[in-house]
Amino acid sequence: DHSPPLPTLPTPPLYPLSPSDHSPVVRRHILGSIIQSERSYLESLRRIMQEYHRPLLEAEPRVLSPRKIRPIFYRLREITQCHSMFQIALASRVAEWDSSEKIGDLFVASFSKSMVLDVYSDYVNNFTNAMALIKKACISKPAFLDFLKKKQASSVDRITLYGLMVKPIQRFPQFILLLQDMLKNTPRGHVDRLPLQLALTELETLAEKLNEQKRQADQVAETQQLARSVGDRLLSKLNPEQGSLVLCETLIETVYGDRGQVLKSKERKVFLFEDVLVCANINVKGPPDLSSLVPVGPKYTMKWSAPLLLVQVVEVGQEGAQGKDTPYQPSGTKRPASGQRKAILGPPRLYQELQELQHDLSLVEEVTLLVGTLQGTYQNLNTTVAQDWCLALHRLIRIKEDQIQSANKCRLRLQVPGRPDKSGRPVSFMVVFNTPNPLSKISWVNRLHLAKIALREENTPGWSCGEDGGKPLPPSGCPLLACRMPVFALEAALHNPVHCSLLGFSAASTSLPQGYLWVASGGEGAQGQLEIFSLNRPTPRAVKSLPLGCRPLCLEYVPEPVPPEDSDGGPAASGPPGAPGVGNTICVGLDDGSILVYGSVDTAAQCLLTLPHPGGGAVLCIKHASHFLFAGLRSGSVLVYGRSEGGVSRGGLSVGLGSEPVRALLVLEELVWASSGNSVMVIDGSSLSTQRFEVHPDPLVSVAHMVRAGGGVWMAFSEGSSIRLFHTETLEHLQEINISTRSTLLSGPGRTHLRVSSLLLCQGLLWVGTAQGSIITLPVPKLEGIPKITGKGMVSLNAHCGPVDFLLASSSSLAPQLLKRDSLPEGPDSAFGGDGGSDSASSQESLPPPGGGPLQAGGRGVLLQYRLRSTSGLPGRPLTALGEGSASSLESLEHSVEDGSIYEPTDDPEMWVRGRGSAREGGRRDRVTSAAVVSGGRGFRRLREGGAHGTRTAGGGGGENTLMVWQLPLTV
């Protein structure tokens, strides 16, 4: 083989750098990393072909037949050819780098070819099969196993064949990271910026397709392996090609004794299918030295399976809430005799201990009241000491609540239906799985919850493929309709997020994104109202209604502004000096031109301020920037208000854009895009200067909606079924999509008059609502590239009867502390009455407080000490049965310094330190995001698969305004 010329960077020129701009040097270093990475990758591909493929073909006597060799190395030669061609082009581009400094277009040209996707798809789809062939050959052909060992031992880096063959699967994620670094260091206006964004989009799309194909191939392989291993009739119905496997993972099943000690633990493979949960034993067979060369696939034996709808997640402390008609038995133990059936629910007593502490607190509070009636003054028995007892019990209750929450973090407890007892009564047993980390626990609870929602009638099916004749899609991977509910009327909506730090661990996995949904309603005549719904449960719940004297037209959630680093003011006035911070607010634009500013729900949702507009003209849209609030008016102007910690300033500046209504606003960093007829005005946030560019050729059409993702903005218009994509920096028109051609479900008399009525971007999907009530989603890239649409769209079979008035995304992130493993040591909770002889492998559910609280001499209770270090400074004399000469013994009766404390106090007595956190916790922070999409429109109907005409269902009449809420899987 003739190797292509190696790309080599020429000697760097002397860049005329400004002190703040090092981008040319950094870009050059990143280019060097791309060159080195590609060189290393090509070398790995050649090693596979020259050190493994060719010697196996030429070996005498043969180690493997050519019939078995070919599928192992399938498509590797074509992948090598693709990257050899890329290296030639890269060498040419690198040679002229200092004059052109452009590389993004090279990635687009090299990896947008269909051949690249074809060969990589074939390789990825075949990878699991190739590894299985290698494993079988190692077991059946000792000479082949010896060949692999010798090749690994003789290589410099001692990398295995598996380590080399997995590199093509990792290649595009590596490219994406390098291009992200290059884009980050490419300034706006650079010739390479748009090509880099397009290249990032191309590689992300390619990587997503390959990842999805790999995921599906792995699911099929897992399902086939399970089906071969178990002959259960339940699994015989499963078709591996249908992708009904939702989640599978190796978990540790743990059986606990009645004192919390671990009786036994064993690895299980747990499979979540669309309607059944399966638990299997893992039996790994093969030579002990084989797993170091190639992953060894296990064989399974069925332990149990259960219909998904009968499986319940039971958190610590929730046992009493379960039905009393279904007796429990612990997993792995014999069924108790009738009359002796007692719940042994894994690690015990935590919830009972919490109840005992709460009982004791109520008694101590009564004692405190009685102590206050004492006639004498005693140093160690007075109201101060009694209040200290109460404070200490409060602290112990908080510790116990933390332990209950920590016990849940990596523990998945499932109530599973078993065989009925002799009397025919249903019996359930409890299974406790330890998950590898808190993220795994959250994922299991969330997927179990969503899988049950997916079984509801409205989700079977809930979506159809718009371009394959309306073919219904499986629920996995689709947004799930979680609920629908009537509302008074619809104009606009917003999500008022709240912090999730106090949210229960399990609730975070099943509830909607935390916060409140505000819905603006235009009532009869000139009045309106705001309806507020809580989203802190699996279904929204109405909590408040606020009447308005005028019809509301738009809403905007405005987070509390960050204080500016400098005092340089902008063109608009700042808030009043010295005004207290008002926190997060909600702005409501009214038909009479005024704006109402409300406090968020956690501050009682009170109206804080009214911003009148002397010239009148309805407020059609509101958007906020870091230090300004922008309002688009029907009169064609944009009002600009200053924002500060004290709130929104009353005085605003008006920027005239023309006579056309400003129907849409979009904030892009320091710029604001405002619609003006068939054009968009770009307003500079600091100088308020404007630039106009045309976005539609028809002067009678106006921009109605704008949404941004990465480096692009999608726009919808007042007429027609087309949406258009524009670049945020060059303002270049990049793509146009006709919605009506994306959906065969929308065929019929209304197709020619299809109009886009709402637009939303959420988690890689562009949601499009139409005036006919249907909802379409189109896939878009999630990274910093250009959000071009390349995949197939989906049409929701759940639709409104009238126009989709709005689409709203709500999201919230789980508090980082909930994702940390509990850093407290394992062991019996001896300080809280636990037995001292617990097993060394005892559960984390009975944990001592840090520092191990001091025990009273001769007793097993905890010294109730919170704030007091000593009572010696209090008035009166100690109350004791000992004589006057026993003063030295009195130290044991008071809170002395030597006693120490359960928690060491900081300067603030209300703040307590647990000690140093784990070093591992200071590093990477996982982020888990919950998301939902809300649509609002008149009525509810189901679209027929393959036709546009739907049927109205009961409870969703054509005249009733309805909210539909779709829940999305948690993302990490």
Side-chain angles (χ1 to χ4, degrees):
D1 293 338
H2 296 287
S3 299
L6 294 176
T8 306
L9 270 170
T11 305
L14 294 174
Y15 291 106
L17 293 177
S18 67
S20 60
D21 183 18
H22 299 280
S23 60
V25 176
V26 177
R27 280 170 53 82
R28 190 182 179 87
H29 279 301
I30 296 170
L31 179 63
S33 298
I34 292 173
I35 294 169
Q36 179 57 39
S37 171
E38 185 64 10
R39 189 180 298 165
S40 172
Y41 178 58
L42 261 176
E43 177 59 28
S44 297
L45 294 176
R46 292 197 185 97
R47 279 177 64 180
I48 298 173
M49 303 305 293
Q50 294 172 8
E51 297 179 16
Y52 289 90
H53 183 242
R54 183 182 296 172
L56 284 171
L57 285 175
E58 297 174 351
E60 287 294 343
R62 284 182 175 173
V63 178
L64 281 181
S65 68
R67 184 173 58 84
K68 292 184 178 178
I69 294 173
R70 239 177 263 115
I72 290 177
F73 301 99
Y74 182 57
R75 287 295 203 178
L76 274 168
R77 187 178 299 279
E78 289 83 354
I79 290 177
T80 306
Q81 289 171 351
C82 286
H83 284 268
S84 296
M85 294 166 61
F86 175 65
Q87 192 174 51
I88 294 171
L90 184 60
S92 172
R93 186 59 59 90
V94 165
E96 57 190 34
W97 175 257
D98 294 317
S99 59
S100 68
E101 262 204 55
K102 194 174 179 184
I103 197 174
D105 58 329
L106 177 62
F107 276 90
V108 174
S110 300
F111 298 111
S112 62
K113 299 171 182 174
S114 60
M115 179 189 70
V116 176
L117 177 60
D118 291 342
V119 297
Y120 266 96
S121 294
D122 290 344
Y123 182 83
V124 166
N125 293 339
N126 181 65
F127 184 78
T128 305
N129 178 52
M131 292 302 107
L133 289 172
I134 293 174
K135 184 188 76 172
K136 288 179 183 177
C138 287
I139 296 172
S140 62
K141 303 280 186 181
F144 180 66
L145 179 59
D146 190 53
F147 170 80
L148 292 184
K149 287 181 179 179
K150 287 180 179 178
K151 284 293 182 184
Q152 182 194 5
S154 62
S155 65
V156 177
D157 51 11
R158 298 185 63 80
I159 192 170
T160 63
L161 175 60
Y162 171 79
L164 290 169
M165 291 188 66
V166 80
K167 287 182 180 291
I169 293 176
Q170 302 166 339
R171 188 62 193 137
F172 289 107
Q174 292 168 348
F175 269 152
I176 287 172
L177 291 175
L178 289 166
L179 287 187
Q180 282 180 310
D181 281 344
M182 185 70 91
L183 181 61
K184 193 183 302 180
N185 290 281
T186 302
R188 294 171 69 98
H190 193 285
V191 67
D192 201 25
R193 189 156 171 88
L194 178 55
L196 277 173
Q197 290 174 317
L198 290 169
L200 195 55
T201 296
E202 201 68 51
L203 293 179
E204 182 189 354
T205 303
L206 186 58
E208 283 286 341
K209 289 178 180 176
L210 295 176
N211 285 344
E212 179 61 20
Q213 290 176 355
K214 178 74 166 63
R215 186 188 67 82
Q216 291 178 359
D218 290 344
Q219 283 189 346
V220 169
E222 286 281 7
T223 306
Q224 288 175 339
Q225 181 70 18
L226 180 64
R228 280 195 297 265
S229 302
V230 298
D232 194 274
R233 287 178 296 174
L234 189 66
L235 289 177
S236 64
K237 301 176 184 177
L238 291 174
N239 182 359
E241 305 299 329
Q242 291 180 345
S244 62
L245 180 62
V246 176
L247 184 64
C248 67
E249 190 176 12
T250 301
L251 306 177
I252 310 283
E253 183 181 358
T254 308
V255 179
Y256 297 91
D258 59 353
R259 293 182 301 159
Q261 73 274 24
V262 176
L263 298 180
K264 66 176 182 178
S265 61
K266 192 172 182 180
E267 284 190 340
R268 311 284 189 205
K269 190 77 170 200
V270 185
F271 299 83
L272 172 59
F273 291 95
E274 289 179 355
D275 58 355
V276 66
L277 188 69
V278 176
C279 177
N281 292 324
I282 302 174
N283 306 309
V284 179
K285 294 183 179 180
D289 56 352
L290 181 58
S291 60
S292 63
L293 296 171
V294 63
V296 179
K299 290 187 177 180
Y300 305 115
T301 55
M302 173 76 77
K303 183 167 175 63
W304 52 261
S305 65
L308 182 61
L309 291 176
L310 300 181
V311 177
Q312 301 293 330
V313 177
V314 182
E315 298 292 2
V316 175
Q318 291 183 350
E319 297 86 358
Q322 302 297 321
K324 297 181 180 180
D325 295 334
T326 305
Y328 294 111
Q329 66 181 76
S331 173
T333 61
K334 294 181 180 179
R335 184 177 299 174
S338 179
Q340 297 179 341
R341 196 174 287 123
K342 183 180 178 182
I344 306 175
L345 302 175
R349 286 206 298 270
L350 271 183
Y351 195 62
Q352 179 185 347
E353 289 169 356
L354 177 62
Q355 291 177 320
E356 289 171 355
L357 284 170
Q358 291 169 336
H359 172 266
D360 292 350
L361 175 63
S362 64
L363 286 181
V364 170
E365 285 173 341
E366 292 179 18
V367 170
T368 302
L369 294 175
L370 293 174
V371 167
T373 63
L374 290 173
Q375 298 294 319
T377 302
Y378 309 100
Q379 191 183 92
N380 56 346
L381 182 61
N382 50 51
T383 305
T384 302
V385 173
Q387 288 175 343
D388 192 52
W389 298 342
C390 292
L391 289 171
L393 280 168
H394 276 295
R395 173 57 55 183
L396 295 180
I397 287 172
R398 277 181 242 170
I399 294 172
K400 191 60 60 179
E401 289 172 341
D402 284 347
Q403 289 174 346
I404 290 174
Q405 190 177 79
S406 297
N408 287 335
K409 285 188 177 181
C410 292
R411 200 147 289 142
L412 179 65
R413 291 156 44 92
L414 301 177
Q415 178 191 339
V416 180
R419 294 177 181 175
D421 60 14
K422 294 180 180 179
S423 63
R425 295 175 64 200
V427 174
S428 294
F429 59 92
M430 190 71 69
V431 184
V432 182
F433 292 110
N434 282 346
T435 62
N437 49 58
L439 288 178
S440 172
K441 159 68 184 293
I442 288 179
S443 180
W444 272 100
V445 176
N446 178 251
R447 291 306 179 100
L448 286 164
H449 172 70
L450 293 182
K452 292 180 180 181
I453 293 178
L455 294 175
R456 296 174 185 170
E457 183 181 358
E458 57 267 30
N459 291 311
T460 54
W463 296 81
S464 68
C465 184
E467 297 162 48
D468 289 343
K471 176 184 175 183
L473 295 171
S476 58
C478 296
L480 297 171
L481 183 59
C483 61
R484 53 187 172 88
M485 54 190 295
V487 289
F488 177 68
L490 295 170
E491 293 290 348
L494 64 76
H495 177 232
N496 174 188
V498 296
H499 294 295
C500 309
S501 55
L502 299 180
L503 177 65
F505 197 72
S506 176
S509 309
T510 57
S511 63
L512 296 169
Q514 299 302 286
Y516 296 89
L517 175 67
W518 291 55
V519 179
S521 306
E524 296 294 331
Q527 295 190 345
Q529 68 180 38
L530 296 174
E531 292 184 83
I532 304 175
F533 299 88
S534 170
L535 299 180
N536 302 341
R537 297 182 182 183
T539 56
R541 178 174 54 93
V543 294
K544 197 165 190 176
S545 180
L546 304 172
L548 299 175
C550 186
R551 180 183 168 205
L553 299 180
C554 56
L555 297 170
E556 174 74 348
Y557 172 73
V558 184
E560 188 172 12
V562 179
E565 295 181 2
D566 51 57
S567 58
D568 295 338
S574 299
V582 295
N584 305 324
T585 56
I586 286 84
C587 292
V588 184
L590 301 181
D591 194 40
D592 65 2
S594 59
I595 297 175
L596 304 180
V597 181
Y598 283 85
S600 59
V601 177
D602 50 6
T603 58
Q606 295 178 336
C607 186
L608 308 175
L609 181 67
T610 300
L611 302 175
H613 178 49
V619 180
L620 302 182
C621 51
I622 302 174
K623 291 293 177 185
H624 75 278
S626 54
H627 300 297
F628 298 100
L629 184 74
F630 298 87
L633 306 181
R634 184 175 288 153
S635 61
S637 299
V638 172
L639 285 177
V640 185
Y641 297 92
R643 292 179 58 221
S644 68
E645 292 181 75
V648 181
S649 61
R650 290 180 179 272
L653 296 180
S654 177
V655 180
L657 305 182
S659 59
E660 296 287 342
V662 181
R663 302 178 61 178
L665 289 170
L666 185 66
V667 176
L668 305 176
E669 285 83 41
E670 301 303 318
L671 301 176
V672 179
W673 287 21
S675 69
S676 178
N678 65 336
S679 299
V680 166
M681 300 291 288
V682 181
I683 305 173
D684 186 294
S686 56
S687 66
L688 298 187
S689 60
T690 60
Q691 173 190 358
R692 177 187 295 268
F693 72 102
E694 188 176 285
V695 295
H696 198 283
D698 189 347
L700 299 178
V701 170
S702 58
V703 180
H705 307 280
M706 296 188 289
V707 291
R708 185 240 184 120
V713 173
W714 279 102
M715 298 184 189
F717 303 92
S718 57
E719 299 294 336
S721 57
S722 290
I723 55 175
R724 294 181 161 213
L725 173 65
F726 292 85
H727 190 219
T728 57
E729 299 169 23
T730 65
L731 311 182
E732 185 179 340
H733 179 210
L734 301 176
Q735 190 179 18
E736 183 168 1
I737 295 291
N738 189 338
I739 297 302
S740 63
T741 63
R742 292 278 168 151
S743 171
T744 55
L745 270 181
L746 302 177
S747 60
R751 176 169 176 172
T752 55
H753 304 292
L754 192 69
R755 178 174 63 84
V756 176
S757 60
S758 50
L759 208 57
L760 173 71
L761 269 166
C762 180
Q763 290 194 359
L765 287 178
L766 178 63
W767 292 65
V768 183
T770 70
Q772 286 68 29
S774 56
I775 296 172
I776 304 158
T777 63
L778 300 163
V780 294
K782 301 176 185 176
L783 300 180
E784 308 92 314
I786 303 299
K788 294 180 73 172
I789 294 170
T790 55
K792 296 179 180 180
M794 299 188 302
V795 181
S796 172
L797 296 176
N798 299 294
H800 293 283
C801 301
V804 181
D805 293 317
F806 64 79
L807 287 166
L808 169 73
S810 64
S811 66
S812 62
S813 295
L814 198 61
Q817 63 264 32
L818 290 182
L819 303 178
K820 296 178 182 177
R821 286 181 177 275
D822 189 66
S823 59
L824 303 181
E826 292 195 17
D829 194 0
S830 57
F832 293 88
D835 293 324
S838 280
D839 192 284
S840 60
S842 177
S843 146
Q844 293 179 352
E845 293 201 16
S846 291
L847 299 173
L855 296 179
Q856 290 180 347
R860 298 179 60 191
V862 176
L863 179 63
L864 283 184
Q865 174 185 344
Y866 179 78
R867 182 177 292 158
L868 293 176
R869 286 306 191 93
S870 172
T871 59
S872 58
L874 297 178
R877 57 189 181 87
L879 186 65
T880 173
L882 299 177
E884 292 293 334
S886 304
S888 61
S889 301
L890 297 181
E891 294 177 1
S892 62
L893 297 175
E894 66 171 27
H895 298 308
S896 65
V897 177
E898 287 75 16
D899 282 331
S901 176
I902 296 176
Y903 279 63
E904 290 297 325
T906 61
D907 294 336
D908 181 357
E910 296 296 327
M911 298 294 294
W912 299 84
V913 182
R914 287 197 175 193
R916 297 185 182 276
S918 168
R920 289 175 297 177
E921 294 177 357
R924 171 179 169 268
R925 277 193 171 186
D926 294 304
R927 183 182 178 89
V928 175
T929 302
S930 168
V933 170
V934 183
S935 73
R938 183 170 50 82
F940 169 81
R941 62 184 174 129
R942 285 278 294 175
L943 296 179
R944 295 199 195 114
E945 302 159 41
H949 306 290
T951 55
R952 295 174 184 170
T953 61
E960 190 174 42
N961 291 294
T962 303
L963 294 180
M964 289 194 284
V965 183
W966 281 270
Q967 197 162 352
L968 306 178
L970 290 176
T971 59
V972 181

